[in-house]
């Protein structure tokens, strides 16, 4: 065995260890107790694989991979930027950062596909090409095309999702005949992809990538903010699949395994999320959610405002209090103040719990992450199914920045776009206080019948401001002593 | 060469693995797990490194460079974000948890 073979064997062995570390890392991340070590295991896996790859070489010239300097520059610059932005960004902006980094992975997979396809095109070398010849293994060309298509869609789609969540563009962008245009664009990408498989040529490859990238944009444009969590998760699964397919093209088993595992896990996660919203994935992608607003039932009653001091008195008299956070809490960065308020309430012997709807916020578990950041212990945080039976016994429910997930219309109005979505039964609480900045609707763009109920009072304020005033109000009632 | 049915078995087993390891996950871990799996496909970086490492023409080098740049961003960013999320999980049973705003 010569030295090149030994190096190759060592690289393969490192990849094997990396694949094991990645799978065990994900496994450990699926339990709260081991989650932190899970990401570290996976991190070590990627790190050793990257170091080993620096010694990859096709020929037998030199120790390091060709273009090692270029590779190093690309990795160093990108890592510095991503590391810095990932450290600096506020916890509330996590969903769009996940979307952004996921899109980068999809783009990377598409780039691998592009260089592989250009390589096949060069092999073909023009006129006398006979398709399905062994020099360009057909299954590799097919999977290079499929992986590139999925990766490209994930790339531009995730970037649009990022721009929407970051507030750089409108939440929804629709025009007449949109479905048709999207369909034609997808068809064009598939046909061009087939042409590339039959006869890889540079200009077909370029057109194919153009159509695929454009389709990712078009597909994401009409999807509204409420569906973003599902879409980001779907693109996460897409990137995983693309990585798996490009791994097959490169005959790299570590990529095949890691990519496919993420593809399957991501698909399952996407389905769980869509199920939590009582919607199918195709429904999310192809229906114009909240665009109609047609025959919605008339809501009777009026909005009844309340001052913070009166709300504080209600809290002072209550025994059981449930706090329902939503995206508004994230926007107002109010999680710390809310936890401070809760601690004041707990000090006064109140039973305080947090109720989390599975899709509150912009990602499933978004609220859990924010509350955890503020220091709320996770045993005070309850899932929808566990907390819903407790609402009838609850003296005061505080809704902060949540809207659609507490709208009883989802149970009563068949014409409503959110009909059938499971909701938190806040409406059954004895008293409801809704902290809200203004009278606007939620992401679904529909009126909330809860706000008009007799037992509901509106506290118009920014989340932080409201919590601060409530704390002051509580202290004013009993002189700040608690007991 | 991994090909034909061998490749199919590989894809199938990996897909089952992915399905199994995240079924029955508590909701509170959905976001960190999505973020974590986002990091795991950052392994695409090594594929992009090989693509750039085998590039000879300037076009291939540009594409490869873009691929490595994007892949490294996926890996590095995915790791940092996931770690920050997971850092925050703690239980009330642990004394001395963060007391910001506890002072009345």
């Amino acid at each position: 065995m010569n030295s090149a073979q030994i190096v190759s064997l060592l690289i393969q062995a490192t990849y094997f260890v990396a694949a094991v570390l990645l799978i065990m890392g994900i496994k450990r991340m699926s339990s709260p107790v081991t989650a932190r070590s899970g990401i570290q295991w996976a991190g070590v896996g990627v790190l050793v694989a990257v170091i080993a790859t620096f010694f990859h070489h096709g020929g037998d010239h030199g120790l390091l991979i060709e273009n090692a300097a270029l590779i190093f520059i690309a990795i160093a610059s990108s890592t510095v930027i991503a590391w810095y932005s990932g450290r600096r960004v506020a916890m509330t902006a996590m969903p769009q950062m996940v979307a952004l980094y996921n899109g980068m992975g999809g783009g990377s997979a598409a780039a691998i596909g592009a260089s592989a396809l250009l390589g096949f095109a060069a092999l073909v070398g023009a006129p006398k090409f006979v398709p399905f010849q062994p020099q360009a293994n057909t299954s590799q060309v097919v999977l290079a095309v499929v992986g590139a298509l999925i990766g490209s869609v994930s790339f531009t789609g995730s970037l649009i999702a990022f721009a929407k969540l970051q507030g750089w563009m409108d939440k929804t962008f629709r025009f007449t005949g949109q479905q048709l245009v999207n369909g034609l664009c997808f068809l064009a990408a598939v046909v061009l992809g087939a042409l590339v498989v039959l006869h890889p040529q540079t200009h077909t490859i370029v057109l194919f990538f153009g159509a695929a990238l454009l389709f990712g944009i078009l597909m994401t444009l009409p999807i509204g903010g409420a569906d973003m969590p599902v879409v980001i998760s779907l693109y996460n699964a897409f990137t995983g699949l693309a990585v798996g397919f490009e791994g097959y093209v490169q005959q790299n088993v570590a990529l095949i395994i890691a990519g496919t595992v993420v593809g399957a896990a991501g698909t399952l996660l996407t389905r769980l999320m869509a199920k939590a919203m009582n919607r199918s994935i195709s429904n999310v992608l192809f229906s114009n959610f909240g665009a109609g607003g047609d025959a919605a039932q008339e809501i009777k009653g009026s909005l009844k405002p309340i001052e913070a001091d009166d709300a504080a008195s209600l809290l002072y008299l209550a025994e059981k209090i449930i706090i329902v956070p939503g995206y508004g809490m994230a926007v107002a960065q109010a999680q710390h103040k809310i936890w401070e308020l809760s601690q004041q309430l707990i000090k006064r012997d109140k039973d305080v719990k947090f109720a989390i709807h599975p899709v509150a916020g912009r990602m499933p578990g978004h609220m859990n992450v924010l509350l955890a950041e503020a220091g709320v212990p996770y045993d005070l945080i309850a899932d929808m199914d566990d907390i819903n039976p407790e609402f009838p016994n609850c003296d005061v429910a505080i809704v902060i920045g949540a809207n659609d997930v507490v709208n009883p219309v989802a149970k009563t109005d068949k014409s409503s776009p959110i009909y059938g979505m499971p909701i938190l039964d806040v409406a059954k609480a004895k008293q409801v206080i809704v902290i809200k900045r203004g009278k606007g609707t939620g992401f679904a763009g529909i009126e909330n019948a809860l706000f008009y109920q007799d037992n509901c009072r509106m506290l118009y304020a920014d989340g932080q401001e409201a919590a601060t005033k409530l704390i002051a109000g509580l202290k004013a009632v009993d002189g700040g002593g608690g007991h | 060469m991994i090909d034909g049915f061998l490749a199919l078995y590989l894809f199938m087993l990996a897909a089952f693995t992915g399905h199994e390891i995240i079924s029955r996950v508590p909701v509170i871990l959905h976001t960190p797990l999505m973020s974590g799996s986002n990091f795991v496909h950052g392994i695409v970086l090594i594929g992009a490194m090989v693509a750039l490492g085998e590039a000879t023409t300037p076009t291939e080098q540009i594409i490869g460079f873009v691929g490595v740049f994007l892949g490294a961003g996926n890996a590095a960013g995915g790791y940092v974000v996931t770690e920050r999320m997971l850092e925050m999980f703690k239980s009330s049973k642990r004394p001395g948890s963060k007391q910001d705003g506890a002072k009345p």
Side-chain angles (χ1 to χ4, degrees):
Chain A
M1 205 153 65
N2 65 32
S3 63
Q5 282 168 321
I6 293 172
V7 171
S8 167
L9 196 69
L10 283 176
I11 293 175
Q12 292 305 322
T14 314
Y15 283 179
F16 179 79
V17 173
V20 173
L21 284 170
L22 286 174
I23 292 176
M24 293 184 68
I26 302 187
K27 177 68 192 160
R28 293 181 78 81
M29 272 186 266
S30 62
S31 152
V33 184
T34 55
R36 287 199 60 195
S37 64
I39 182 68
Q40 284 154 1
W41 287 36
V44 172
V46 171
L47 190 66
V48 294
V50 167
I51 293 170
T53 309
F54 268 107
F55 298 97
H56 166 98
H57 52 105
D60 28 18
H61 28 253
L63 178 67
L64 289 178
I65 193 167
E66 289 288 293
N67 298 321
L70 269 181
I71 293 175
F72 186 77
I73 293 169
I75 293 181
S77 56
S78 183
T79 302
V80 168
I81 297 171
W83 198 275
Y84 182 76
S85 58
R87 276 265 157 231
R88 284 293 307 275
V89 72
M91 287 311 295
T92 42
M94 286 294 159
Q96 51 263 49
M97 295 317 282
V98 173
L100 180 65
Y101 299 139
N102 174 55
M104 291 176 89
S108 185
I112 295 175
S115 60
L117 288 173
L118 288 175
F120 292 138
L123 272 184
V124 169
K128 283 200 314 245
F129 174 67
V130 187
F132 309 127
Q133 283 293 293
Q135 78 266 32
N137 185 313
T138 316
S139 62
Q140 279 174 302
V141 187
V142 171
L143 283 192
V145 167
V146 176
L149 175 61
I150 300 172
S152 301
V153 169
S154 173
F155 178 49
T156 51
S158 296
L159 292 185
I160 297 288
F162 168 77
K164 285 186 178 195
L165 289 172
Q166 190 75 8
W168 289 356
M169 62 184 292
D170 282 344
K171 284 178 205 115
T172 51
F173 178 87
R174 301 194 176 103
F175 53 87
T176 44
Q178 193 163 23
Q179 306 273 25
L180 185 69
V181 173
N182 291 5
L184 286 176
C185 184
F186 178 69
L187 198 66
V190 170
V191 169
L192 285 164
L195 285 177
V196 171
V197 172
L198 292 174
H199 195 150
Q201 275 183 310
T202 309
H203 65 268
T204 351
I205 294 172
V206 171
L207 285 175
F208 161 71
F209 274 96
L213 292 168
L214 182 65
F215 178 67
I217 297 175
L218 289 175
M219 178 172 151
T220 321
L221 278 179
I223 300 173
D227 289 329
M228 271 310 147
V230 183
V231 173
I232 296 174
S233 177
L234 181 70
Y235 287 152
N236 186 39
F238 273 19
T239 303
L241 277 183
V243 171
F245 289 160
E246 299 304 341
Y248 176 80
V249 176
Q250 287 195 342
Q251 291 291 300
N252 184 333
V253 188
L255 285 195
I256 298 180
I257 289 177
T260 312
V261 165
V262 173
T267 308
L268 181 64
L269 205 51
T270 311
R271 272 181 28 221
L272 289 175
M273 290 162 66
K275 206 174 134 203
M277 299 173 72
N278 195 33
R279 313 191 61 202
S280 69
I281 293 166
S282 69
N283 203 344
V284 168
L285 294 177
F286 304 119
S287 80
N288 288 352
F289 189 62
D294 37 318
Q297 278 172 12
E298 230 7 62
I299 295 169
K300 293 187 184 71
S302 61
L303 296 169
K304 295 162 286 292
I306 187 170
E307 291 302 318
D309 287 344
D310 300 330
S313 316
L314 285 175
L315 291 177
Y316 185 75
L317 297 171
E319 276 176 15
K320 189 172 171 57
I321 297 164
I322 299 178
I323 301 176
V324 181
Y327 188 60
M329 182 186 80
V331 173
Q333 299 271 14
Q335 60 271 26
H336 298 280
K337 278 286 166 197
I338 292 292
W339 175 226
E340 195 182 330
L341 171 65
S342 317
Q343 284 173 316
Q344 290 292 333
L345 292 167
I346 293 167
K347 221 170 89 181
R348 289 167 174 79
D349 292 328
K350 315 294 181 199
D351 176 10
V352 179
K353 274 195 185 150
F354 289 84
I356 312 278
H357 189 276
V359 293
R362 291 295 171 275
M363 291 201 293
H366 191 188
M367 292 300 125
N368 303 84
V369 171
L370 293 179
L371 292 177
E373 185 206 12
V376 180
Y378 60 75
D379 38 7
L380 288 190
I381 302 174
D383 289 347
M384 179 171 67
D385 293 336
D386 297 329
I387 199 91
N388 262 347
E390 296 189 27
F391 276 108
N393 300 322
C394 161
D395 299 306
V396 179
I398 307 175
V399 176
I400 165 143
N403 196 336
D404 297 327
V405 296
V406 295
N407 193 344
V409 159
K411 286 186 168 171
T412 54
D413 183 357
K414 283 193 176 154
S415 66
S416 170
I418 62 167
Y419 181 75
M421 179 171 97
I423 56 159
L424 288 164
D425 289 329
V426 175
K428 291 181 184 160
K430 288 171 194 148
Q431 181 73 51
V432 181
I433 299 171
V434 176
I435 299 172
K436 209 166 172 303
R437 266 179 307 177
K439 294 180 182 174
T441 54
F443 264 95
I446 50 172
E447 284 293 337
N448 194 328
L450 171 71
F451 301 168
Y452 294 86
Q453 280 190 185
D454 287 336
N455 62 349
C456 181
R457 295 290 178 274
M458 308 296 289
L459 177 55
Y460 290 115
D462 166 84
Q464 283 215 34
E465 185 195 335
T468 311
K469 281 184 180 170
L470 286 174
I471 294 167
L474 268 179
K475 288 179 184 168
V477 177
D478 63 359
H483 300 288
Chain B
M1 180 82 191
I2 296 147
D3 206 356
F5 276 102
L6 183 57
L8 270 181
Y9 278 116
L10 194 55
F11 276 113
M12 187 265 297
L13 289 173
F16 271 111
T17 308
H19 197 275
E20 275 307 305
I21 54 181
I22 81 141
S23 51
R24 294 186 301 278
V25 168
V27 180
I28 63 162
L29 279 174
H30 275 181
T31 291
L33 201 63
M34 184 156 109
S35 180
S37 60
N38 178 38
F39 165 70
V40 166
H41 63 53
I43 190 80
V44 69
L45 172 58
I46 67 170
M49 287 171 75
V50 170
L52 178 51
E54 287 170 354
T56 43
T57 68
T59 319
E60 284 171 0
Q61 283 179 331
I62 291 170
I63 294 173
F65 187 88
V66 171
V68 173
F69 184 88
L70 292 175
N74 183 180
Y79 185 85
V80 173
V81 168
T82 312
E83 218 204 4
R84 277 186 64 189
M85 283 185 197
L86 292 175
E87 252 168 35
M88 298 177 310
F89 281 98
K90 48 171 84 96
S91 152
S92 64
K93 286 164 202 112
R94 196 188 305 169
S97 64
K98 211 163 63 183
Q99 289 290 312
D100 45 335
K103 295 157 277 319

